[in-house]
Amino acid sequence: MTTVTDIIDDLEWRGLIAHSTDLDELRKALASGPVTVYCGFDPTAPSLHLGNLVQILTLRRLQLAGHRPIGLVGGATGLIGDPKPTAERTLNDPAVVAGWVDRIRVQIEPFLDFSGPSAARMANNLDWTSSLSAIEFLRDVGKYFRVNKMITKDAVARRLNSDAGISYTEFSYQVLQGMDYLQLYRRFGCTLQTGGSDQWGNITAGVDLIHRVEGVSVHALSTTLITRADGTKFGKTETGTVWLDRELTSPYALYQFFLNSDDRDVAKLLKVFSFRERAEIEELERQTAERPAARAAQRALAEELTTLVHGADECAKVVAASRALFGQGALEELDEPTLAAALAEVPRAEVAAEGGALPPVVDLLAETGLTPSKSAARRAVKEGGAYLNNTKIADADAVPGPGDLLHGRYLVLRRGKRSIGGVEVRP
């Protein structure tokens, strides 16, 4: 991985820059010496997601270019929640939020280097808000904010014009985020804040506050929100958000999410999420245009991201599972968690072993939806297109035995080359 020195050019090429307070001045600041930069992450859920990963990787890119990143976990702002455009957030119990702070800190830390001249640091905004009285907050911070400007922020303006309205609690969120920037400026000399473009109003609140209180100009940069070619929000699936926590989104599911990227999206996703050199990405883009069926770019992206988030060993397991499900490896060699995660992503059925006996294979093909009926399952067997644990089924009346169960409970069915189904056998 090559250290990037002209980081603004790199971010622009990757399509990551949405807004900047002054891009030319920021470029000069970044070129003249190490800049301390922060991005905040609120614990409004037990895990970060792919949208947050864009911000973490942006911090990492800046660190690789010689700058000092701060990962701020919002132990205070997470108790309130950034205003949504539509309705008030549910306030979570402080003990729950504290637990989420710890989980999110652990997710961010592996992406940053905490040693050397560009050493990263972690921070929690509860450290400077927990002892702050309401009177101090209003006198020392609130007096620098103008309500007529606060109500022009996008999320606030939408809520003010809706039936839901907005509480004073959520209205004050931008004051708290602005105070974060001021505190990090004072404590660590932080002069750049990054975040998603939907955070631009909150980000510039901090820029304005530092200018009013300290009389200095600092920088802000927001990244582009990632959308798919069809206009839908990136990082969502039919079953919901793609999380970084393996218990919420398995490494196999993360791998498959990127492997299934649309050809129209994959070059953009490589630029946003990959640390490959520009020439490598452009070569993968060329391969996608010339041989889309090979899915070389998707495989490169899926492997790199699974390795980044879950490690090389976990990536090797999911690649092996992906190959084995389609008859290119030994299913028996997959560990149980990896196999279970893989089967969770395909049509599946749960069956009971009545008196120790399993249903016939044709019944299982129909139950998993791999065939529309048992008669269609029989035809698939007769035509040589049905497989049990990657072994072709020769007899339409075949019944799986206990020895066929993987880890004592799973069966893998396949129809043709690409249609996979899973069966979990209950005792």
Side-chain angles (χ1 to χ4, degrees), residues 42 111 136 165 171 177 194 239 277 296 328 334 343 367 380 401:
D42 272 350
F111 292 92
E136 290 174 313
F171 181 66
Q177 186 166 330
T194 65
T239 55
E277 300 290 344
Q328 299 171 354
L334 304 180
L343 294 182
E367 278 202 53

Side-chain angles (χ1 to χ4, degrees), residues 13 276-287:
W13 175 74
R276 292 171 185 268
E277 300 290 344
R278 180 170 181 168
E280 290 182 85
I281 293 175
E282 290 175 345
E283 171 60 18
L284 288 167
E285 189 174 5
R286 183 190 65 77
Q287 291 180 33

